[in-house]
Amino acid sequence: MSDIVTAAVEALNAKLDGRGFDGVAKFVIEGEGSILVDANGARAGDEAADVTLTADTGTFRQIIEGSLNPTSAFMSGRLSIDGDMGAAMRLGGVFS
């Protein structure tokens, strides 16, 4: 597992603050690896998910830090979403 994925898992769990997520979402950080977010929080993994969000490292970092809105990232083509758009919208609330 890359240092970037490890740091992203920690950051996501801090954002979730023990709440978990209703569903299964996968973040794919291009060239680094994948993170799953579910009722148990965030962890490195590459299993099947309801929705998959893909971005480069910089975009993902900006989303986690709160300097880039996930909807704006999607609309500008910096974040791609495959699967349940409703799940993606619910997950977006974590970053608000």
Side-chain angles (χ1 to χ4, degrees), residues 9-28:
V9 167
E10 290 174 11
L12 279 170
N13 279 319
K15 287 241 181 227
L16 289 167
D17 194 28
R19 292 175 287 168
F21 174 68
D22 178 28
V24 180
K26 180 177 7 180
F27 287 101
V28 176

Side-chain angles (χ1 to χ4, degrees), residues 27-85:
F27 287 101
V28 176
I29 304 173
E30 295 170 339
E32 297 296 334
S34 301
I35 301 164
L36 290 173
V37 179
D38 60 20
N40 298 313
R43 68 184 186 289
D46 195 22
E47 292 88 44
D50 303 322
V51 62
T52 300
L53 301 96
T54 304
D56 63 33
T57 302
T59 298
F60 187 77
R61 182 175 290 127
Q62 288 178 321
I63 291 170
I64 293 289
E65 292 171 348
S67 62
L68 178 61
N69 179 288
T71 302
S72 297
F74 173 71
M75 297 301 284
S76 66
R78 295 177 62 189
L79 174 71
S80 66
I81 300 173
D82 184 33
D84 183 352
M85 190 61 80

